[in-house]
DNA sequence: ACCTGAACACCGTTCAAGT
DNA sequence: ACCTGAACACCGTTCAAGT
């Protein structure tokens, strides 16, 4: 008795899901839910285990340590966003590819404001992200940008999106505590429009630069 | 005996400065040094007290809690950067004002890579920052930008700088552990040039926008 | 006012022991 | 293989007691 799926009812906190068997995936899903519900700063191995109705150390059978759990969360969020599929489909130019990618990134901040910070500050090492970047570089090279400069341009645009959305997500997550839920959605849409506008302006700046550097190519 | 200024020599760790009397300022300075030496994640009230050669709770006589210490650090870094003085001097246009401000911001990341994150993620509430922003808004309004749009433009440029420099500072701080100190400075300068380039491109994008929206004003 | 140790309520993680 | 409680080495902070 007292297995993970069947905790003593009298002591169990009123958690929404706990019939799920423990696995790396179910732990990751629960962690994401936990962060969105209670905030990133409240996530701990102990609290997550309590939420799942199992002993703390049971988590370590499916996850190496806290960093590994964070990596799993980042991977899961990337998968859910479909951001990696963006560059796999057909777009006409680098502008559309980058815009679509960063819009998917933006939507991630909207859907997971509490967890977004983990994603924004995660190292680039994840394999599928590198692949995704590579496809964007190819698109830029088709526009006459050299490989090195392509990485710099992508880095700059990514920096803008990351900086903007991280501040936005923080404000969003912080608002959950206070009670201004009613009027918030309008303000939010407004701010996200500003995000899109800034992105457009930044891209236009690069178009200007590319046009200056490659006038004889046409 | 066993006062803060005169700890038992035999038990005292070999810390560089400990003749300084305890005060909000000395604690803040020591915290900044500690972060740059050992990393932000190693900063704790207990470790800082040990570094200062005093009991943990002595810190609480000069600092309300950890968040208050962080606020003091952010304020001190802002002061050291001279970023607030930038907009007090005379510049010709909003482009120069913003560029100078964000270059001061950039230099802060260079000088305090370990602490930069605190600054980047700190809430805007600090009074002098608001004042600084206000002066930038005035400069933009002189260029025909409405007040609301001015805040948006500043937010976008700040988002770029924050996103770029935070990633850079993290990489910088992380490199301290590894032993690639020799070849690093060249790479660093290169990356900071990319920062400046991106800033120029972004500003040019906004110039383009402003020119489009106010063609009849001239 | 300033400093302090003990204590409380938390962490992540190792270990030895269970099934 | 999966799960677990006890234990270790940490946190921030409160409290009561010292000067």
């Amino acid at each position: 008795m007292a297995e993970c799926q069947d905790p003593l009812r009298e002591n169990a906190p009123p958690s929404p899901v706990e019939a799920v068997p423990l696995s790396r995936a179910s732990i990751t899903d629960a962690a994401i839910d936990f962060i969105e519900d209670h905030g990133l700063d409240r996530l701990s191995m102990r609290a997550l285990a309590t939420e799942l109705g199992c002993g703390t150390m049971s988590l370590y059978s499916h996850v190496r340590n806290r960093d590994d759990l964070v990596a799993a969360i980042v991977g899961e969020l990337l998968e859910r966003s479909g951001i990696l599929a963006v560059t796999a489909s057909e777009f006409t130019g680098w502008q559309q590819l980058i815009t679509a990618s960063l819009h998917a990134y933006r939507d991630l901040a909207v859907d997971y404001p509490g967890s977004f910070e983990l994603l924004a500050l995660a190292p680039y090492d994840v394999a599928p992200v590198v692949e995704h970047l590579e496809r964007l570089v190819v698109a830029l090279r088709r526009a006459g940008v050299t490989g090195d400069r392509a990485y710099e341009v992508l880095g700059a645009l990514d920096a803008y999106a990351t900086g903007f959305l991280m501040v936005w997500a923080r404000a969003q997550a912080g608002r959950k505590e206070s009670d201004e839920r009613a009027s918030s959605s309008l303000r939010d849409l407004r701010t996200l429009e500003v995000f899109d506008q800034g992105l457009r302006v930044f891209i236009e700046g690069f178009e200007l630069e590319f046009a200056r550097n490659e006038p004889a190519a046409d």
Side-chain angles (χ1 to χ4, degrees), chain A:
Chain A
M1 70 176 79
E3 268 182 331
C4 186
Q5 295 92 317
D6 182 28
L8 299 173
R9 277 299 155 121
E10 44 208 328
N11 289 336
S15 41
V17 190
E18 51 180 312
V20 191
L22 227 46
S23 72
R24 187 176 170 90
S26 71
I27 290 173
T28 305
D29 292 348
I32 293 174
D33 289 346
F34 185 96
I35 294 171
E36 298 306 327
D37 285 348
H38 307 108
L40 181 56
D41 48 337
R42 289 264 277 277
L43 176 73
S44 70
M45 301 302 277
R46 289 168 132 106
L48 183 57
T50 303
E51 182 82 12
L52 280 161
C54 63
T56 306
M57 296 317 300
S58 307
L59 303 178
Y60 287 83
S61 296
H62 305 91
V63 143
R64 248 188 307 277
N65 49 36
R66 198 186 192 279
D67 283 350
D68 188 38
L69 173 60
V70 168
I73 292 171
V74 169
E76 173 65 16
L77 290 181
L78 279 177
E79 195 135 337
R80 291 193 197 173
S81 77
I83 195 173
L84 303 176
V86 165
T87 46
S89 61
E90 290 299 317
F91 280 88
T92 57
W94 62 271
Q95 295 95 330
Q96 283 85 349
L97 273 179
I98 289 176
T99 301
S101 296
L102 293 184
H103 278 188
Y105 195 38
R106 175 202 63 188
D107 293 343
L108 220 34
V110 173
D111 293 337
Y112 305 97
S115 321
F116 184 78
E117 191 166 325
L118 294 179
L119 207 126
L121 295 177
Y124 275 175
D125 303 60
V126 204
V129 174
V130 172
E131 202 182 325
H132 179 253
L133 267 176
E134 217 55 54
R135 285 191 289 251
L136 291 175
V137 167
V138 169
L140 277 168
R141 204 170 288 158
R142 266 201 300 264
V145 184
T146 73
D148 271 9
R149 184 66 188 142
Y151 280 108
E152 295 169 6
V153 169
L154 289 175
L157 289 165
D158 182 66
Y160 162 71
T162 299
F164 195 109
L165 296 174
M166 215 158 77
V167 170
W168 185 86
R170 280 218 163 193
Q172 199 71 4
R175 192 167 330 187
K176 252 204 151 180
E177 263 83 295
S178 97
D179 49 353
E180 9 178 354
R181 272 157 300 190
S183 65
S184 69
S185 55
L186 280 170
R187 279 196 130 269
D188 297 347
L189 287 178
R190 171 104 181 79
T191 314
L192 290 182
E193 249 177 55
V194 175
F195 172 77
D196 292 355
Q197 262 178 48
L199 179 57
R200 220 147 39 215
V201 167
F202 209 171
I203 288 179
E204 277 173 21
F206 281 116
E207 282 177 334
L208 208 67
E209 182 200 299
F210 299 161
R212 257 202 309 264
N213 289 351
E214 294 273 344
D218 194 21

